Amino acid sequence: YGKNIKEEYFEDDDKLLGKSNVFRWSYAAGKTVGEYYAKAFESQGLNYDIVRFFNIVGPGQVSNYGMVIPTFVKQAINEEEITIYGNGEQIRCFTHVRDAVEICYRLSHTAKASNTYYNVGSNEAVSINELANLILYMTKSKSKKKYLAYESAYGIDFEDCPKRMPNCSKIMGRVGILKFTPLNQIVEETIQYEIMEKKKKFNAKIDTLYAKLKEHKCKVAVVGLGYVGLPLAISLSKYFSVIGFDIDSDKICKYNSGNAIPEDILERE
């Protein structure tokens, strides 16, 4: 729908694109061309349903192309600055990929294609500033927000849409009512996924370290049996002879007796 400034978009609304020499609008133009192709082949007997997705998100989505939720979540859990382009007052609606798949499944099982277009997306609107605040709150991160000019990432003449919200009454009339996943649940699932991915990467590094140490039949000394040292010592002791050092004799006794668990340290520190 381009730069159309309506409160919410209906399928028959006008598309308002920017200048053709601004690359920003090639994405919308490309989708429009695809719809015209389908329309052209309708005269040749093609039956089709076209779905217009709005900000599909979910656990595992990569942040390579500026996808805001995984980007913010990764920045928050790594205590990095939350980078916001523009003033952060852009309004968006985020749709869980699971809901998008459910609607497509229902649509594919209707009696016949209707040769028309459908919006698919949540109508839970949130500004980018509000999204950043939500992610900071849910991750308990101490990261700060940093505002950047669009030009720093997208070059000059970049144009953004102030608000994008779909009206989905048409698709709901076709496939039935679907309650979209709330934004806070989407964020929570993304946070848990990214935390697990971070743990996997850490464990992969540890496994590499284990392999290198094991080749040399090393003995390992862990200095400090705190909330980092103790889990590391316990983990390493599965493969090596580990000696633990700490100024707290109680920690050393528990470790040597095999009764130390990381939760003890977390409670005390």
Side-chain angles (χ1 to χ4, degrees):
Y1 298 94
K3 296 194 291 183
N4 192 315
I5 59 173
K6 289 189 64 177
E7 185 69 18
E8 59 179 355
Y9 297 142
F10 289 81
E11 286 83 354
D12 294 330
D13 285 338
D14 292 335
K15 295 181 186 296
L16 181 61
L17 302 185
K19 295 178 291 185
S20 60
N21 64 339
V22 176
F23 191 71
R24 166 74 173 81
W25 302 113
S26 62
Y27 183 66
K31 288 186 173 183
T32 301
V33 169
E35 292 184 0
Y36 279 132
Y37 270 119
K39 189 70 175 175
F41 281 98
E42 184 178 342
S43 62
Q44 305 299 314
L46 175 69
N47 294 316
Y48 60 87
D49 287 309
I50 293 175
V51 175
R52 296 171 178 169
F53 294 117
F54 282 72
N55 291 314
I56 305 301
V57 295
Q61 183 181 38
V62 297
S63 56
N64 303 29
Y65 303 101
M67 304 307 182
V68 66
I69 288 182
T71 297
F72 282 4
V73 168
K74 287 178 182 178
Q75 289 172 337
I77 63 178
N78 291 318
E79 300 292 347
E80 300 170 352
E81 289 180 321
I82 307 297
T83 52
I84 298 174
Y85 293 97
N87 61 12
E89 291 305 305
Q90 312 93 308
I91 302 295
R92 297 292 182 266
C93 301
F94 296 96
T95 310
H96 199 299
V97 63
R98 181 171 54 236
D99 301 332
V101 170
E102 173 64 22
I103 285 181
C104 288
Y105 175 81
R106 293 186 191 181
L107 188 60
S108 69
H109 284 72
T110 54
K112 183 181 178 182
S114 56
N115 295 359
T116 190
Y117 320 101
Y118 297 99
N119 290 335
V120 170
S122 168
N123 63 355
E124 183 181 357
V126 63
S127 74
I128 300 303
N129 282 325
E130 290 170 335
L131 176 64
N133 290 338
L134 175 65
I135 290 172
L136 288 170
Y137 173 77
M138 293 183 69
T139 56
K140 297 179 174 61
S141 174
K142 296 180 181 178
S143 297
K144 303 296 183 183
K145 290 181 285 186
K146 180 179 181 181
Y147 293 88
L148 301 173
Y150 284 117
E151 291 80 5
S152 64
Y154 305 108
I156 60 173
D157 293 329
F158 180 82
E159 297 176 298
D160 201 5
C161 306
K163 185 174 185 178
R164 287 205 294 262
M165 179 187 294
N167 181 289
C168 294
S169 56
K170 186 175 179 180
I171 187 67
M172 296 298 180
R174 179 82 185 279
V175 303
I177 300 297
L178 175 69
K179 184 178 180 181
F180 286 100
T181 304
L183 178 61
N184 61 345
Q185 183 177 336
I186 293 174
V187 170
E188 178 61 27
E189 289 182 17
T190 304
I191 290 170
Q192 294 306 316
Y193 175 86
E194 294 298 341
I195 289 174
M196 289 301 299
E197 286 299 297
K198 189 175 181 179
K199 288 180 179 178
K200 286 180 184 177
K201 290 178 181 178
F202 175 77
N203 289 338
K205 291 180 180 179
I206 293 296
D207 288 343
T208 301
L209 175 62
Y210 286 165
K212 290 181 178 179
L213 291 174
K214 204 168 185 178
E215 286 177 9
H216 300 286
K217 299 180 180 179
C218 296
K219 289 187 176 181
V220 179
V222 177
V223 180
L225 298 176
Y227 65 91
V228 174
L230 179 60
L232 180 61
I234 294 173
S235 183
L236 288 169
S237 66
K238 297 176 182 177
Y239 305 93
F240 309 104
S241 174
V242 178
I243 303 171
F245 296 88
D246 200 282
I247 59 174
D248 187 336
S249 60
D250 185 47
K251 289 181 182 178
I252 295 175
C253 289
K254 279 194 171 184
Y255 174 70
N256 289 336
S257 65
N259 295 321
I261 58 174
E263 286 75 7
D264 290 336
I265 304 300
L266 293 176
E267 287 176 5
R268 295 172 62 181
E269 299 188 3

